[in-house]
Amino acid sequence: MKLVVVGGVTGGASTAARVRRLDAKAEIVMFERGEHVSFSNCALPYYLGGVVESSDHLLVVTPEDFKRRHDIEVRTRCEVIAINRKSKTVTVKDLTDGRKYEEPYDKLMLAPGASPILPKTIAGIESKNVFTVRNVTDIIALKNYAEKSGVENVVVVGGGFIGVEVAENLCKAGKNVSLIEGTEQIMTPFDYDMVQILHKEMDDHGVKLYLSSTVTAVNAESGSVTAVKEGQIFKVPADLVVMAIGVMPETKLAEEAGLEIGETHGIKVNHNYQTSDPDIYAVGDAVEIFNKMLHTYGRLALAGPAQRQARAAADHMYGIPHNNTGYIGSSCVRVFHQNAAATGLSEKAAAKAGYHFDSVLLFPSDKPGSMPDSHYMGFKLVFEVPTGRILGAQAIGVGAADKRIDVIAAMITMNGTLEDLKELELCYSPVFGTAKDIVNMAALVALNILYGRFTQVHVNQVRPLVESGAYIIDVREADEYNKGHIKGAHNIPLSELREHLDEIPQDIPVYLHCRSSQRSYYALSALAGRGFHNIVNISGSFLGLSLYEYFNDKMTGREPIVTAYNFD
Ligand code: FAD
């Protein structure tokens, strides 16, 4: 058995290592076009901000380690430029001296990844001050340039994971950072209501956000970029530009070899990651995979899936079965002090896919209030109606958002429902969480909605309600109300509710909220028990509403619907 691997990072290195564990005698040759193999792509942005102190720390395994520890031959600076399927060889170009040669294979693994998109339509895109972030060489070049004297203003184009992480790290490195994003929000795995927390966080830390804006030119000489928003052209100062608007799978080799390419432009593979040629496998960012929630094929540029695919493909080469259950898409990111994670379908994605669904938005404490590091966490749970099947979740907070989302990812993978989540027995100590964890609480709230125990409106529906003079009751205490409240809202604290029942109208809908929806839920139950049938909870309550409205109000200069925001 001779395995040839194209691409020496996540998918390629994982395949090579797995094959070695399965077969002590296999000959394994791994080609990598770049200078390094098996580096930590995901840690690259943190080198800019000094979290990763040395670029050496980005290198996980060196070619020498591969040889000594695993008897895997690594050839860096060697690009595979053709696959000759009939002769079962690849043509390799040694980039150090230009020499070309053929290398035979029994099995071939394609793990060439995806390259950053650099649209030719942007004038000046090839300027020396424009960078992308894909590998260690890129990040060293970018950091060196950023550290040159006179480089103060940075524009990051694209608000996905890489753009956001690069923006944060350059900000920490003391740069004046602007982030320009073509759509109305950064971080598409999050719904618009949730992502406002991240918009605010970036804004609070001095990253200037330009949303719904498209960069049309890089003007290296004048140190700016030109962008356009709703037909209005504007310039943003930019001594340095980082392009992070997405990646395109590297399919050229596969295409030229006549391998099938899927509809989403990834290499087409079967459930064992074989391409249309059974001796050629492909994994990672270059392929398209089955999305178990959408029942369609799509691309998912994440490290965990690439590693799992690599192991499954290697196993298949040795007749070890693998049950490919598809992907749900779980990801996390830290934005300054906020940890953000998402799994499965957002509301947006569920709607696009035609699901019947609903969602709940909560802001519970992640630890008991007695603990000094207790913080609220924004948590959104998306579920199918009427089955209660869990479709997705998003969590953002200072605390362990990833832990909550990992739990939900496990539930989704096991086709869990709200009832399962309600019953899920999780560990507890005040050091880590609350006895009824946020995820259990979300299930309880969602079940109340699913079973029709109460109705709700979402934070994005509140502005029209306020503007049309709807009857809103704020059940927080007077001191909380006085610090900031919805304009026109009536303050009847929960503790005094029973004395004020006759003030509450029965003939029109009455909207309730508190700080985080806990007290408004008690109020709602108390009112329902006394025959009030037209009471609606404001999902997310005042905290959710403040976070939802704040950034938009600031950006647009529109009239706030609250007297003051409150984020405590
Ligand atoms: P890669 O790891 O990109 O490896 C492909 C390699 O193939 C490249 O080094 C390329 O040079 C080489 N190659 C291509 N063509 C040839 C050829 N013809 N001959 C020889 N060599 C070739 N994912 C997460 O899950 N979490 C994160 O936090 C995260 N952060 C990221 C941050 C950054 C800055 C980047 C760039 C990526 C991040 N990712 C993250 C994504 C993750 O790194 C990728 O999904 C994963 O590495 C894909 O693995 P791959 O093997 O398909 O491609």
Side-chain angles (χ1 to χ4, degrees):
M1 159 72 165
K2 175 165 178 181
L3 171 72
V4 166
V5 180
V6 180
V9 194
T10 315
S14 302
T15 311
R18 177 66 179 161
V19 165
R20 173 54 73 231
R21 292 198 295 276
L22 294 173
D23 183 351
K25 291 184 184 153
E27 185 184 351
I28 306 172
V29 183
M30 187 161 79
F31 291 104
E32 169 54 51
R33 186 173 57 197
E35 286 174 46
H36 309 97
V37 286
S38 196
F39 55 84
S40 173
N41 326 48
C42 309
L44 293 172
Y46 297 94
Y47 178 52
L48 297 173
V51 179
V52 174
E53 286 174 6
S54 157
S55 61
D56 289 346
H57 297 165
L58 296 165
L59 305 174
V60 183
V61 188
T62 63
E64 296 72 35
D65 291 335
F66 269 112
K67 188 66 196 165
R68 273 188 289 115
R69 292 187 202 160
H70 308 294
D71 192 22
I72 292 169
E73 192 180 331
V74 174
R75 298 187 202 159
T76 53
R77 302 283 292 133
C78 283
E79 181 171 12
V80 173
I81 55 170
I83 304 168
N84 316 301
R85 288 168 58 192
K86 273 204 183 122
S87 58
K88 289 185 81 170
T89 63
V90 292
T91 307
V92 183
K93 183 175 178 187
D94 187 330
L95 300 175
T96 52
D97 56 13
R99 185 174 57 99
K100 289 185 189 160
Y101 61 94
E102 310 253 305
E103 188 76 33
Y105 66 82
D106 294 315
K107 300 284 180 202
L108 177 64
M109 168 54 81
L110 300 180
S115 49
I117 297 171
L118 279 170
K120 292 268 186 287
T121 48
I122 298 178
I125 192 83
E126 277 151 15
S127 308
K128 272 197 266 170
N129 68 335
V130 177
F131 291 82
T132 56
V133 178
R134 182 177 182 186
N135 54 37
V136 179
T137 311
D138 292 344
I139 209 76
I140 292 173
L142 169 50
K143 189 171 163 83
N144 287 344
Y145 196 94
E147 285 173 354
K148 277 188 183 177
S149 73
V151 177
E152 296 299 331
N153 299 313
V154 177
V155 163
V156 177
V157 186
F161 290 94
I162 297 175
V164 165
E165 288 175 351
V166 166
E168 172 176 336
N169 278 283
L170 285 172
C171 191
K172 284 182 176 160
K175 303 297 164 192
N176 173 22
V177 181
S178 303
L179 190 150
I180 304 181
E181 160 60 46
T183 68
E184 62 177 1
Q185 70 166 83
I186 61 168
M187 301 300 306
T188 47
F190 296 88
D191 281 315
Y192 191 66
D193 47 6
M194 288 294 285
V195 88
Q196 298 305 336
I197 305 173
L198 301 182
H199 288 165
K200 178 177 180 299
E201 186 73 2
M202 294 202 88
D203 186 64
D204 286 353
H205 286 85
V207 174
K208 205 152 189 309
L209 284 181
Y210 296 87
L211 303 174
S212 306
S213 304
T214 311
V215 171
T216 54
V218 175
N219 319 303
E221 295 76 37
S222 62
S224 69
V225 298
T226 306
V228 58
K229 178 175 183 171
E230 291 158 7
Q232 299 289 314
I233 296 170
F234 60 98
K235 287 195 173 175
V236 181
D239 306 314
L240 165 63
V241 178
V242 182
M243 291 297 298
I245 59 169
V247 293
M248 270 307 278
E250 293 224 20
T251 55
K252 188 165 173 271
L253 258 186
E255 269 179 86
E256 287 176 357
L259 300 176
E260 217 176 312
I261 304 296
E263 274 174 27
T264 63
H265 309 295
I267 301 171
K268 207 170 174 59
V269 288
N270 67 12
H271 57 288
N272 294 312
Y273 305 102
Q274 284 168 300
T275 65
S276 48
D277 179 331
D279 288 324
I280 305 178
Y281 291 76
V283 295
D285 290 1
V287 305
E288 59 176 37
I289 51 175
F290 183 70
N291 184 311
K292 135 183 180 120
M293 308 302 293
L294 301 174
H295 290 104
T296 54
Y297 281 83
R299 294 194 271 118
L300 187 65
L302 290 172
Q307 288 193 357
R308 277 163 56 211
Q309 292 156 24
R311 184 186 172 101
D315 283 358
H316 186 257
M317 292 175 198
Y318 287 85
I320 300 169
H322 160 71
N323 181 17
N324 187 335
T325 56
Y327 291 80
I328 60 173
S330 302
S331 55
C332 55
V333 67
R334 194 174 60 204
V335 182
F336 293 96
H337 298 308
Q338 299 290 337
N339 297 315
T343 186
L345 300 181
S346 61
E347 247 190 296
K348 217 169 22 197
K352 196 168 164 215
Y355 272 98
H356 292 278
F357 69 93
D358 207 340
S359 71
V360 289
L361 177 64
L362 297 76
F363 285 86
S365 297
D366 58 0
K367 291 174 192 176
S370 50
M371 298 305 282
D373 56 348
S374 165
H375 296 278
Y376 67 79
M377 179 172 292
F379 189 87
K380 182 172 192 175
L381 187 64
V382 184
F383 54 95
E384 190 177 47
V385 176
T387 64
R389 181 182 153 214
I390 299 164
L391 298 178
Q394 298 154 49
I396 304 180
V398 174
D402 58 328
K403 159 179 153 167
R404 271 68 190 207
I405 292 303
D406 282 345
V407 168
I408 303 294
M411 294 296 293
I412 295 175
T413 303
M414 309 303 284
N415 296 318
T417 66
L418 296 176
E419 289 287 358
D420 298 322
L421 185 59
K422 180 183 94 174
E423 286 300 311
L424 197 64
E425 190 182 329
L426 300 168
C427 53
Y428 163 65
S429 144
V431 179
F432 299 107
T434 47
K436 194 191 288 162
D437 190 77
I438 290 170
V439 296
N440 302 123
M441 223 179 297
L444 295 174
V445 177
L447 282 168
N448 279 336
I449 299 292
L450 186 72
Y451 296 155
R453 294 206 55 232
F454 68 79
T455 52
Q456 61 175 3
V457 287
H458 296 280
V459 280
N460 60 352
Q461 297 169 300
V462 176
R463 179 170 279 272
L465 288 176
V466 175
E467 286 168 353
S468 63
Y471 197 96
I472 297 173
I473 302 179
D474 183 337
V475 300
R476 296 175 301 162
E477 295 300 318
D479 59 331
E480 294 172 272
Y481 178 87
N482 291 337
K483 278 189 204 154
H485 57 262
I486 296 177
K487 289 176 181 167
H490 305 259
N491 185 213
I492 309 180
L494 174 66
S495 53
E496 299 166 21
L497 186 71
R498 287 158 187 89
E499 290 110 64
H500 293 272
L501 294 177
D502 51 353
E503 292 167 29
I504 301 172
Q506 302 235 27
D507 52 342
I508 54 167
V510 171
Y511 300 89
L512 284 190
H513 78 85
C514 57
R515 171 186 166 274
S516 69
S517 282
Q518 196 173 14
R519 281 171 286 174
S520 59
Y521 172 53
Y522 296 146
L524 206 125
S525 307
L527 292 174
R530 284 168 173 78
F532 287 82
H533 295 301
N534 220 349
I535 311 285
V536 183
N537 190 48
I538 296 176
S539 178
S541 270
F542 198 68
L543 191 49
L545 188 71
S546 292
L547 288 163
Y548 181 72
E549 292 283 318
Y550 165 81
F551 182 74
N552 262 330
D553 290 355
K554 182 172 175 185
M555 287 297 108
T556 57
R558 71 187 182 187
E559 181 68 26
I561 55 166
V562 295
T563 57
Y565 313 99
N566 195 338
F567 309 113
D568 293 334

